Amino acid sequence: MKLIHGDCLDVMPVLAENSIDTIVTDPPYGLEFMGKEWDHGVPGVPFWTAALRVSKPGAILLSFGGTRTFHRLAGAIEDAGWELRDCFMWLYGSGFPKGHDVAKRMDGCIAEKWAGWNPSLKPAWEPIIVAMKPLDGTFASNAERHGVAGFNINE
């Protein structure tokens, strides 16, 4: 097994077509988290088309997403030619609301009334989109030809 670690925008163009078994990625969620420029948008169709090019038929893609924007993520992945297969959940109890306390933006007695109010919830889960590059024939023939096809759920 070979693990490739790097910025996919730099790595994918130099990879051979149909050479990757699995892609696990945590792209920007498009929440503009803490004003960070890198989290401005969700990767669009061209990004996922490039990932499709380097993936073997039957390869699995796992992509983390934000709860408020994963619909855009899933749509872009599907529009690029991937088959959406399922969705996993990453559950956690830490973190903080991805918004600003409303009262901090007010003055005087109005602020007291709205103390603790926030326009966003504290995230407690992240969706993980499960997609597959379309098969080359049946699952069995694809597994024989390319070494990948679905999940080994017995393991």
Side-chain angles (χ1 to χ4, degrees), residues 4-18:
I4 300 170
H5 180 263
D7 186 325
C8 64
L9 297 175
D10 297 330
V11 174
M12 282 195 297
V14 299
L15 296 175
E17 186 173 348
N18 299 322

Side-chain angles (χ1 to χ4, degrees), residues 8-144:
C8 64
L9 297 175
D10 297 330
V11 174
M12 282 195 297
V14 299
L15 296 175
E17 186 173 348
N18 299 322
S19 62
I20 301 297
D21 293 345
T22 304
I23 295 176
V24 180
T25 184
D26 191 8
Y29 294 179
L31 302 174
E32 299 181 30
F33 179 64
M34 297 179 72
K36 302 294 185 188
E37 183 62 33
W38 57 262
D39 194 35
H40 182 69
V42 175
V45 172
F47 177 87
W48 303 109
T49 302
L52 189 73
R53 182 193 72 79
V54 300
S55 299
K56 294 178 181 179
I60 296 294
L61 166 71
L62 301 173
S63 181
F64 285 73
T67 55
R68 293 182 295 189
T69 57
F70 78 96
H71 61 290
R72 295 186 187 284
L73 176 69
I77 290 170
E78 187 174 40
D79 289 349
W82 293 87
E83 296 175 359
L84 297 182
R85 305 300 289 187
D86 216 323
C87 186
F88 294 144
M89 294 174 69
W90 182 274
L91 300 174
Y92 55 92
S94 63
F96 55 91
K98 302 288 193 276
H100 300 282
D101 188 332
V102 174
K104 290 182 181 175
R105 297 178 176 255
M106 299 177 175
D107 293 319
C109 63
I110 295 175
E112 281 183 36
K113 178 179 178 183
W114 295 105
W117 285 73
N118 192 307
S120 302
L121 299 173
K122 180 184 88 62
W125 72 285
E126 292 181 19
I128 306 168
I129 304 296
V130 180
M132 184 177 71
K133 182 171 181 173
L135 296 170
D136 180 9
T138 66
F139 276 97
S141 65
N142 195 93
E144 285 293 317

